[in-house]
């Protein structure tokens, strides 16, 4: 998926994205081992990503459900990061996460 401006696009595989944070006119894309900051909005990023995998959990945060380790009405744990869950987004986020995790294959320990 291409993020950023048409003049300077950044190609990123959606599966590698852990979460995306809005920062003014930019978005910060967390890839686990590094972060990329590109021009754009959270709404435009969400429109480019699979809706069954990426969920808005806060006015400033979009998360990849496959990278969410724990989710409550107030926070999501993604790797070493705690991301806030907005009251307005909590119910939809929890529902999507439960649906995604119940459909996910069990990984051997």
């Amino acid at each position: 998926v291409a993020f950023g401006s048409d003049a300077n696009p950044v190609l990123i595989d959606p599966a590698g994205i852990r979460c995306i944070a809005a920062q003014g006119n930019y978005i910060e894309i967390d890839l686990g081992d590094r972060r990329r900051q590109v021009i754009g909005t959270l709404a435009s990023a969400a429109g480019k990503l699979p809706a069954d995998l990426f969920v808005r959990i806060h006015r400033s945060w979009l998360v990849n459900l496959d990278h969410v380790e724990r989710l409550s009405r107030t926070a999501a744990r993604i790797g070493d990061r705690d991301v806030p869950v907005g009251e307005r987004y909590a119910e939809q986020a929890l529902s999507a996460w439960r649906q995604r995790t119940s459909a996910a294959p069990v990984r051997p320990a």
Side-chain angles (χ1 to χ4, degrees):
V1 176
F3 294 96
S5 66
D6 290 338
N8 191 22
V10 176
L11 296 174
I12 299 175
D13 178 9
I17 299 172
R18 295 186 341 169
C19 57
I20 301 175
Q23 296 181 339
N25 294 331
Y26 292 86
I27 54 173
E28 181 184 89
I29 303 170
D30 182 337
L31 300 167
D33 59 342
R34 67 188 191 287
R35 296 181 183 159
R36 297 290 309 258
Q37 190 175 46
V38 297
I39 195 161
T41 65
L42 211 54
S44 68
K48 297 176 182 184
L49 297 166
D52 63 326
L53 186 58
F54 287 86
V55 174
R56 188 120 179 215
I57 64 167
H58 187 275
R59 67 184 176 98
S60 300
W61 289 92
L62 186 67
V63 299
N64 180 336
L65 294 174
D66 284 348
H67 290 276
V68 174
E69 297 169 19
R70 202 171 48 238
L71 183 67
S72 72
R73 296 190 73 73
T74 58
R77 183 70 174 177
I78 302 169
D80 59 350
R81 190 172 211 174
D82 286 317
V83 177
V85 173
E87 185 178 332
R88 173 178 162 188
Y89 301 93
E91 197 57 47
Q92 181 181 349
L94 284 165
S95 175
W97 189 63
R98 284 185 199 116
Q99 184 176 3
R100 183 80 183 174
T101 56
S102 68
V106 176
R107 297 181 192 153

